[in-house]
Amino acid sequence: MDLELESKRAVVTGGSRGIGKAIACELAAEGADVGIAARDEQRIADAVAELTELTGQRIVGVSCDTREDVSVRAMVATLAESLGGVEILVNAAAMPGGFAPPPRLADVTADALWAEVNTKVMGYLRCAREAAPFMITNGWGRIINISGLAARQTGSIFGSIRNVAVSAMTKNLADELGPHGINVTVVHPGATRTERTTPELAARPTGNAIERMVEAHEVAYVVAFLASPKSIGITGDAIACGGGARGAIHY
């Protein structure tokens, strides 16, 4: 299937490693020019070099802290100038879950919760706010928010709060931006194998139907379709990409 991404301009936050990097790679492999944003300048440089060699596409990188308005504004402006616009935004810059035990109620603090929300919810919202005007001017766009299956599960107070909030934000943006030709969706990865996945973590029971961890590039396949003009029928909705969580029925 031709996803019609040739020469599209995409920005991927959190694009220097993990799921974000896999998404940037897949979009570029489909013909898009891609800007990646992350905090660590060396990781950005390494990712730009690697993805350029792998895909042959135009890959540019900018250091950005999505917790800060000024940093996000500068990042989007710089990448839009470098790419000639922004038509696709993938929000994937967030604190990774699953690498440390979640806090219990007695250990919850306002600062810790705000750190999670400011990064994943407000960070995504800041990026959407700055990128949307370019899409509105163009009359077409796609915003894909990477959230997580903690939105549908208990076990992590912070994880559930931040991921449910991303889903709510997604639907609100979809309703507002839809008349401008912009689709907004949220993808919920489950346990996903990335370069940071330790052998111990990979060996844990997955509890999903496919009985293995989903690979980062398999999440990227889903995102590439949602970024495509062919995904016109999907907006404001959540797509689970965790290999089929057992038991619960979502409708």
Side-chain angles (χ1 to χ4, degrees):
M1 178 187 291
D2 177 10
L3 294 182
E4 302 175 37
L5 290 174
E6 187 76 29
S7 300
K8 295 291 188 188
R9 287 81 52 93
V11 170
V12 181
T13 70
S16 66
R17 62 181 177 179
I19 292 174
K21 181 180 172 184
I23 290 167
C25 185
E26 187 61 24
L27 292 175
E30 290 288 341
D33 294 327
V34 180
I36 60 174
R39 281 185 269 182
D40 190 296
E41 293 185 359
Q42 187 58 56
R43 284 201 186 103
I44 294 169
D46 291 344
V48 167
E50 179 183 350
L51 297 181
T52 299
E53 182 177 357
L54 282 172
T55 68
Q57 286 297 120
R58 177 168 169 74
I59 311 290
V60 293
V62 173
S63 178
C64 176
D65 188 339
T66 60
R67 298 172 298 181
E68 299 176 0
D69 286 352
V70 172
S71 185
V72 170
R73 193 172 300 121
M75 176 271 291
V76 173
T78 299
L79 290 180
E81 182 176 4
S82 296
L83 299 172
V86 178
E87 296 159 296
I88 297 162
L89 169 66
V90 181
N91 279 313
M95 297 178 181
F99 290 92
R104 309 306 297 174
L105 178 59
D107 301 318
V108 169
T109 66
D111 287 346
L113 176 59
W114 175 240
E116 296 270 0
V117 171
N118 190 29
T119 302
K120 191 160 192 176
V121 184
M122 277 304 303
Y124 285 14
L125 195 55
R126 290 183 185 101
C127 293
R129 183 182 63 200
E130 299 305 318
F134 293 96
M135 301 179 192
I136 291 171
T137 298
N138 195 49
W140 186 90
R142 295 288 186 268
I143 299 173
I144 302 105
N145 298 315
I146 306 303
S147 187
L149 283 176
R152 298 180 175 181
Q153 299 165 339
T154 60
S156 171
I157 294 173
F158 290 172
S160 294
I161 289 172
R162 69 178 189 169
N163 289 355
V164 169
V166 169
S167 293
M169 177 184 70
T170 295
K171 178 56 174 167
N172 277 275
L173 294 181
D175 286 0
E176 178 178 344
L177 299 175
H180 299 285
I182 302 167
N183 285 29
V184 189
T185 50
V186 57
V187 173
H188 291 318
T192 305
R193 189 193 304 273
T194 70
E195 68 272 20
R196 300 185 67 192
T197 304
T198 63
E200 292 78 16
L201 187 61
R204 291 180 189 175
T206 58
N208 63 16
I210 65 174
E211 297 185 337
R212 66 166 176 83
M213 295 183 81
V214 173
E215 304 286 340
H217 69 265
E218 294 168 334
V219 178
Y221 295 154
V222 174
V223 174
F225 172 72
L226 293 174
S228 163
K230 286 187 163 63
S231 71
I232 183 61
I234 305 173
T235 191
D237 286 320
I239 307 296
C241 192
R246 293 187 182 278
I249 298 172
H250 298 279
Y251 59 91

